[in-house]
Structures are given as C-alpha cells and as structure tokens.
Amino acid sequence: MMEDEELEFVEDLEAILHLTPEVQLAIEQVFPSQDPLDRADFNAVEYINTLFPTEQSLANIDEVVNNIRLKIRRLDDNIRTVVRGQTNVGQDGRQVKEITRDIKQLDHAKRHLTTSITTLNHLHMLAGGVDSLEAMTRKRQYGEVANLLQGVVNVLEHFQKYMGIPQIRQLSERVKAAQSELGTQILADFEETFPAQGSKKSGGPSIVLRDACLVANVLDPRIKQEIIKKFIRQHLSEYLVLFQENQDVAWLDKIDRRYAWIKRQLVDYEEKYGRMFPEEWCMTERIAVEFCHITRTELAKLMRTRAREIEVKLLLFAIQRTTNFEGLLAKRFSGCTLNNGPGKKPETPLEPTNPFLEDESGEDNVSEKDEDLDRPKKPKAPDNPFHGIVSKCFEPHLYVYIESQDKNLGELIDRFVADFRAQGPPKSGTDEGGAVLPSCADLFVYYKKCMVQCSQLSTGEPMIALTTIFQKYLREYAWKILSGNLPKTSTNSGGLTISSLLKEKEGSEVAKFTMEELCLICSILSTAEYCLATTQQLEEKLKEKVDKSLMERINLTGEMDTFSTVISNSIQLLVQDLDAACDPALTAMSKMPWQSVEHVGDQSPYVTSVIMHIKQNVPIIRDNLASTRKYFTQFCIKFTNSFIPKFINHLFRCKPISMVGAEWEPYVHSRPLNI
C-alpha cells in the first residue's frame, strides 16, 4: 500500500512539474545550468547509473546521499528566504507610490507655473505690439508693420482659448481693426499711384508700395488679389485700346503685333516694377496670363463677327504664330499661376516602315536609314502648361481646316488613280513587282502631317472630325486604288482539247493572268498588308493625340477589315487563276480512254499541263511575296485545299482503266515537283 501511494505521489508530482517547451527554454536562458537534475528530460534511473556504474561504487552511497540531502536543505533555505522577502513588497510599493505622487504634483505645478509665465510674457508682447501696430499704421510705416504684424498674429494665436476674457477679446478686435485699416489704406495707395483710368504715372515705384506688398502678404488674401487685379488691369489698359475690334491691327493677318506688344510690356515691367512686388507673386507671369485670356476672348469675338473672311492659310498662319508664342511662354515661365492637367502618356515605338514612328518635329520620310535605327531617341519635351491658353479660340473655326483637308485628300486620291493609269501595272522582271505601291506611303505620310498639325491646333472634336476624313479616304484608297485595279478573271472557257493533251502541247490556249498581272496582284496584296498594319498604328496614334474622354470614338476597325478583304480577294484571285489553268487538264484526264491504253509512257499529258502551270505561277508569286511570306503560305494552302478535292473528284469520273493504264499513273505521281 505504501509503495502504491508513493507511486501515485511521484506521478502527481511529475504532472505538476511538466512545463511547456517555451517555458522550459525561457528558464534555461534566465538560469543556465549544467546540473543533470535541472534538465527537463531528467531520468532518475540514468542518473543513478551514472553515480553508481559498478557494484564497487556502491561503497560510497552514504556520501552521495548526504550530498543530495545537503543540496535539498540549501534549496529549502533559498525558497524560505524568498518567501519571507515577499512579505514586505506591498509596504515598499505603497511607499514608492506616495513618492511618485508627490513628484507628479511637483511636475504639474512646475508646468503650470511655466505656462503662466509664458502667457504673461505673450500678453505683454501682444499689448505692446498692438499699440505699436496702430501707431505705425497711421504713419504708413509699412516696412516696420510687415514684420510686426506677423509677430502679433502669431502671438495672438496663443490666446485663442482665452477669448472669453474681455481684455484678450479687446486686443483681438484691435488687431482685426488694424488689419482692416491697413487693407483699405494699401488699396487706396495703389489706386492713387496706378489709377484704373488714364495713363500710368511717370515716376517709378516707391519704397512705400514695395513694403505695402509685404504687409499684404500677411493680410487677408483678398487684399493681395485685389492689388494684383487692379495693377494688371491698369497695365493692360493700353492693349485694349490699341487692338480694339475696329482697328486694322486687330485682324488675324497682323496677330504678330499683339505678341510683340506684350513682349515689350513685360520687358518694361521688369525694368520698372520688377522689384516692387514680391518674387513669389509671379507678377510677370500673371501679366502674361491675363494678356492671353484677354487675347483669346477678343479674338474669339472678332472671328465670330468676321467668320466669312477666315481662310485656311490665314487661319493656319494665326495658329502657328499663336502656338509659337505659347511655346515662348513655356520657356520663360513655369506656369505656377495655372492649374496644370496631367501630362500625356509617352508614345510607344512603332514599326520602322511606319511614318507614325518618326520624330514629329522632323521631316516626313516614309522610312528611316538603317544607321538611324540605333540612334537614341530624343527625350520627350515636357508638356507646355500654356498650350491652348490663346489658341483654343481657333477651335470653333477649325472646320475650315478640316474641309480643306477633305478637299486635299480627295485630290490626292484622284492623282493616285491618274498616276496608276498613266504608269500602268508593275513590269515583270523588275524590282517593282510585288513591292508596296508608292502612293500608299504618300497617303500615310500626308495623314501623319495632318494628324500632327491638327493635334497642335486642338485635341478635341476637330481630331474626331479629322479621323472621319481619314476613314473616308482609307476606304476610297482600298476600293479605287487597290480593289479597283485588281485584274478581272476571264470568262473565256476555252482550254485544252483531249487531242491536244494527248499530243503534249504546251497549252497556250488556256486563259490565265499574264506575268504582269500576277505581279500587280502581289503588289496590291503587299500594299493592302502595309495599309492594314499602318492603319492600326494610325488608330493608336490618334488615340494618343485626342483627349482621353474622346478616345472611345476613334475606331478604324472597319477600315482595317476593308484592307483584310482586299488581301483575301487578292489571294483568292491567285488561287482561282492557277486552279482554272489546271481545269482543262483535269477535264481531259476524266475523258481520257484509259481502257484503251496499251503502252506506258514517261508522263501523261494532263500531268504535264498541271506541272507546267504550277511552275509558271508559283515561283512568280513566291518571289513577289517575299516580304509577306505568311500570305504566300496562305496561297499555297488555299490552292491545295481547292485542287486536291477537285483532282479526286475527276479521278472518280474517269472511265474504266485498263491494267496498263493503271500502271502508268503511279509512276508519274511518284516524281518530285521542283519549283
């Protein structure tokens, strides 16, 4: 019974002393020990075996037991000391807490005392500052007022929570009254020096007004705005008189004089008044911006009145001069007085043969030289914050430009048609065969020029109107130049007779396209492919140029489908031509008296005819479609898909074949066709 109780006690003790690995690791880090008794995985049997490895070692068992008992007593003493030491912890904690409370009270007292002294100093400064401010205001000592007023305002902010005190509220009201009086006084001084009506005074700016501007920086922002507004209005009053609507210099043909006038005025301002206004006011830029707003309004009013007199050349001249002036403003000023919109996304690279790839500021060449392809591109210039600030007034009249481009493109298409008729199709055996028609490149170069020019005029509705014009003439080019010049298939059904095939004639009677016509079809196909790829690039460029809100309205999918149709028709013509050339041979094959064949020859006549036509057409098509291999592959696939079913169909139509005739054909078909 005693042994059972001891075992239960040991098991309970082990359960109590079992700690989690995290806790055991923390204990080992705080109390490192090499004693096996302190290990978490302590094994009593192993420990005893370590102490008494042999029977002879049991002789000193009493000594080991005594050492262990001594160690237990030391642990009991340590535990007892720790437990007794905890009895005074509560009392010591209460004493510390009382000391901490006293220290906190002293800290609060010190803080309140410091705040009181600081507040009294501020109050003294505020009272003295208000008195000085009122005296300086009466004497117009703006230089001293500028520094003092800012200090008074800053000090007054410390008393916002004390406005319930009558003395503080009275000082605040005196400061507001002084600010109001200063504003009225400064505006009166500027009005006296720069009257709204009449010419400017001959004398230069006074130091008083320069200091007054510094005071205005501290006053209500409306005072500063009023000063700027009145000064600019007075400074530009002469402009409104010189360029009135009834003046000859006001019309578009003399628009340069407007910009020359403001340039002189800005130079005059810098010399006379540049130091009067603070630099952060950006007065020079403000004058230029206000001039632009006035000019845009006046030009818009004038063009509405004289809309019938606006011609394309005159409109483009005025726009060019205006955009040049806006560019000069961008070089001179930062645009800090304007609300700038987000910049356009960088332009993406295009195909080397695409005119829309080239630098828009350079010449409109169709392709670049090879050595130019690796040349580093110029970094894109930052957006002009002044773009459209004046030139926007021309946008309602850009229909004149759009109508002009419509007319020019119509004449260009007519010239392409006339040139094609005069020059004729590409000659066989020359480099022209299969090449892209020059008129195609000319068309897209002109498109690029129009797009760049229109985007400089407007990125809004005029760009949409120009896109509609582009779509119109892309379709006309596809039908008039490309589809309209595709050779027509012959309806003549004349072909080889059975007797001629049997005599192995060359089949000159077969109606088929000439070599020149085959070259022309390949050229039209290559041109349509170029137009398809370049139209896609044109659509992307137009979307980059137009306003983001209008991007969805630009869609050239219909025009790209038109060029795809031209490509499909061209391939179909090539297939039909070769297919039709082989038809007489297949017909002769089906009507051949195979049952009466008695001798096996080298090759049957119909095979000779088919091979002859394939060898005539396919190399020409292959060479002329060298730059568009995928369409040559399509031609081969379509011809195969058309010829093989037809060949099999004619095989079924053949009359009964003799044994000799059956031996002839496998020999023929096993021979390779070298093209």
Side-chain angles (χ1 to χ4, degrees):
M1 291 295 293
M2 291 297 296
E3 292 180 357
D4 293 340
E5 292 178 358
E6 290 179 357
L7 289 174
E8 291 178 0
F9 175 76
V10 171
E11 291 177 357
D12 294 341
L13 184 62
E14 289 180 352
I16 295 173
L17 295 178
H18 181 70
L19 303 176
T20 62
E22 293 79 5
V23 175
Q24 188 64 40
L25 179 61
I27 293 174
E28 291 177 357
Q29 292 176 350
V30 177
F31 303 104
S33 175
Q34 300 297 329
D35 193 339
L37 294 173
D38 295 331
R39 294 177 58 85
D41 56 349
F42 174 74
N43 190 309
V45 176
E46 292 181 0
Y47 182 67
I48 293 173
N49 290 334
T50 302
L51 294 177
F52 306 104
T54 62
E55 293 183 3
Q56 291 78 10
S57 61
L58 292 175
N60 60 347
I61 187 172
D62 294 334
E63 182 181 354
V64 173
V65 172
N66 291 332
N67 290 335
I68 292 176
R69 289 175 178 174
L70 178 61
K71 189 173 184 178
I72 292 173
R73 282 198 298 270
R74 289 177 181 174
L75 289 173
D76 291 338
D77 293 339
N78 291 335
I79 294 172
R80 191 179 298 108
T81 302
V82 171
V83 172
R84 291 175 179 176
Q86 293 299 317
T87 57
N88 297 326
V89 171
Q91 182 178 357
D92 294 340
R94 286 191 294 273
Q95 292 178 354
V96 172
K97 186 176 181 180
E98 292 176 357
I99 295 174
T100 304
R101 183 173 59 251
D102 295 338
I103 293 174
K104 288 183 178 180
Q105 291 177 352
L106 292 175
D107 288 340
H108 287 305
K110 179 182 178 181
R111 189 181 305 113
H112 293 160
L113 182 60
T114 303
T115 303
S116 301
I117 295 174
T118 303
T119 303
L120 289 175
N121 288 335
H122 286 166
L123 181 60
H124 177 71
M125 293 168 57
L126 179 62
V130 171
D131 293 337
S132 301
L133 180 63
E134 292 173 342
M136 293 175 182
T137 300
R138 290 190 294 269
K139 297 178 181 179
R140 282 183 164 78
Q141 296 176 344
Y142 296 133
E144 292 80 359
V145 169
N147 296 325
L148 178 60
L149 180 58
Q150 185 62 60
V152 170
V153 171
N154 293 338
V155 172
L156 189 60
E157 292 179 356
H158 294 281
F159 292 93
Q160 291 299 321
K161 56 185 177 181
Y162 302 114
M163 287 301 168
I165 302 175
Q167 291 79 3
I168 302 298
R169 186 170 59 254
Q170 183 180 4
L171 288 174
S172 176
E173 293 173 355
R174 289 174 61 186
V175 172
K176 292 180 181 179
Q179 288 177 319
S180 177
E181 183 179 354
L182 281 169
T184 304
Q185 194 168 286
I186 291 173
L187 289 176
D189 292 342
F190 270 93
E191 183 67 29
E192 181 181 356
T193 306
F194 304 104
Q197 301 295 333
S199 60
K200 295 177 287 186
K201 291 193 173 183
S202 58
S206 64
I207 298 178
V208 174
L209 293 183
R210 183 188 64 187
D211 294 338
C213 292
L214 299 178
V215 176
N217 273 335
V218 189
L219 298 176
D220 191 319
R222 289 177 295 181
I223 303 298
K224 168 186 170 181
Q225 295 171 3
E226 187 67 21
I227 293 173
I228 294 174
K229 180 180 178 181
K230 288 186 175 181
F231 178 83
I232 294 178
R233 184 190 305 161
Q234 192 276 338
H235 209 69
L236 296 177
S237 59
E238 180 183 355
Y239 174 69
L240 294 173
V241 176
L242 293 176
F243 293 89
Q244 287 183 357
E245 185 176 350
N246 57 357
Q247 298 296 325
D248 183 59
V249 294
W251 189 229
L252 300 180
D253 58 343
K254 297 180 177 61
I255 198 170
D256 279 341
R257 299 190 181 183
R258 294 177 179 267
Y259 306 133
W261 183 89
I262 189 59
K263 291 176 185 177
R264 293 193 301 270
Q265 292 300 311
L266 293 179
V267 172
D268 178 71
Y269 166 80
E270 291 287 354
E271 293 177 352
K272 292 184 178 180
Y273 308 103
R275 297 183 179 180
M276 186 177 76
F277 295 100
E279 184 178 354
E280 64 270 17
W281 285 22
C282 302
M283 285 298 293
T284 311
E285 180 178 326
R286 291 181 184 276
I287 294 173
V289 170
E290 183 61 24
F291 164 83
C292 292
H293 292 326
I294 294 175
T295 302
R296 184 180 68 247
T297 302
E298 293 297 320
L299 286 177
K301 185 192 307 180
L302 187 61
M303 286 189 290
R304 283 196 300 268
T305 305
R306 304 173 62 175
R308 295 183 179 180
E309 302 178 37
I310 300 177
E311 300 177 352
V312 176
K313 292 184 178 179
L314 179 62
L315 181 65
L316 293 180
F317 167 80
I319 293 175
Q320 180 184 9
R321 294 296 187 271
T322 302
T323 53
N324 290 344
F325 174 71
E326 292 172 348
L328 290 176
L329 292 180
K331 294 179 181 179
R332 173 63 177 83
F333 305 114
S334 64
C336 60
T337 62
L338 301 173
N339 293 324
N340 296 329
K344 296 182 178 179
K345 60 182 180 182
E347 301 186 5
T348 54
L350 308 175
E351 294 295 330
T353 57
N354 194 314
F356 303 101
L357 171 64
E358 303 157 11
D359 184 7
E360 295 173 357
S361 61
E363 297 181 357
D364 296 328
N365 296 325
V366 177
S367 61
E368 298 178 343
K369 297 181 180 179
D370 293 340
E371 59 268 19
D372 293 336
L373 295 178
D374 295 331
R375 182 182 303 171
K377 299 292 189 259
K378 296 180 180 179
K380 185 179 179 182
D383 293 334
N384 180 1
F386 296 93
H387 176 67
I389 191 171
V390 178
S391 57
K392 194 173 183 62
C393 67
F394 299 109
E395 187 167 316
H397 304 276
L398 287 180
Y399 67 88
V400 177
Y401 171 79
I402 301 299
E403 292 174 355
S404 172
Q405 296 306 323
D406 189 2
K407 179 181 177 182
N408 293 342
L409 283 169
E411 295 175 352
L412 188 64
I413 295 294
D414 293 340
R415 180 167 64 82
F416 290 160
V417 174
D419 291 346
F420 191 92
R421 291 175 180 174
Q423 298 172 3
K427 304 299 185 295
S428 61
T430 66
D431 294 336
E432 297 178 10
V436 175
L437 298 178
S439 60
C440 172
D442 294 341
L443 176 67
F444 281 102
V445 167
Y446 190 82
Y447 272 13
K448 174 195 171 183
K449 178 181 177 182
C450 295
M451 179 187 66
V452 173
Q453 192 175 47
C454 186
S455 65
Q456 293 174 347
L457 308 180
S458 171
T459 56
E461 288 294 338
M463 284 291 290
I464 301 298
L466 185 66
T467 301
T468 303
I469 300 298
F470 286 173
Q471 292 174 300
K472 172 183 175 182
Y473 289 102
L474 283 173
R475 292 191 297 269
E476 286 202 12
Y477 186 86
W479 298 123
K480 290 184 178 181
I481 308 298
L482 301 182
S483 293
N485 288 302
L486 283 173
K488 302 298 186 293
T489 56
S490 175
T491 57
N492 183 14
S493 60
L496 296 179
T497 63
I498 299 176
S499 59
S500 65
L501 284 173
L502 292 175
K503 294 178 181 179
E504 297 184 2
K505 291 187 176 181
E506 296 298 327
S508 57
E509 301 175 21
V510 177
K512 55 181 295 185
F513 291 142
T514 64
M515 185 178 296
E516 287 76 12
E517 289 175 329
L518 290 178
C519 292
L520 174 60
I521 295 174
C522 292
S523 292
I524 291 176
L525 191 154
S526 300
T527 303
E529 184 201 23
Y530 176 87
C531 291
L532 175 62
T534 312
T535 300
Q536 183 178 1
Q537 300 293 346
L538 173 63
E539 181 184 75
E540 294 174 0
K541 278 292 183 180
L542 287 169
K543 289 183 177 181
E544 291 179 8
K545 298 295 183 183
V546 79
D547 292 339
K548 291 184 178 180
S549 59
L550 302 176
M551 286 177 56
E552 295 182 357
R553 295 175 58 183
I554 294 180
N555 188 347
L556 303 184
T557 304
E559 289 64 42
M560 288 186 275
D561 291 342
T562 300
F563 290 117
S564 297
T565 301
V566 174
I567 294 174
S568 299
N569 292 341
S570 300
I571 296 176
Q572 191 62 31
L573 277 178
L574 297 174
V575 172
Q576 289 176 356
D577 177 63
L578 183 56
D579 201 26
C582 298
D583 277 346
L586 297 179
T587 301
M589 177 191 73
S590 62
K591 295 181 179 181
M592 187 108 174
W594 294 102
Q595 192 172 12
S596 61
V597 174
E598 298 179 355
H599 303 284
V600 176
D602 180 35
Q603 185 169 275
S604 63
Y606 82 91
V607 172
T608 301
S609 177
V610 170
I611 293 176
M612 176 191 68
H613 291 302
I614 291 177
K615 285 187 175 182
Q616 285 179 350
N617 284 31
V618 174
I620 297 174
I621 297 172
R622 178 196 60 203
D623 295 340
N624 283 277
L625 294 181
S627 60
T628 56
R629 299 297 297 177
K630 63 179 180 180
Y631 293 119
F632 173 70
T633 303
Q634 287 187 21
F635 158 75
C636 295
I637 294 174
K638 287 188 176 182
F639 173 72
T640 304
N641 292 337
S642 174
F643 179 78
I644 291 178
K646 186 180 296 184
F647 175 76
I648 295 174
N649 185 36
H650 280 79
L651 280 178
F652 282 106
R653 296 180 184 179
C654 291
K655 295 179 179 180
I657 303 175
S658 65
M659 293 296 294
V660 177
E663 293 175 358
W664 192 2
E665 294 312 309
Y667 167 74
V668 174
H669 299 317
S670 64
R671 301 180 61 182
L673 183 62
N674 297 322
I675 300 177

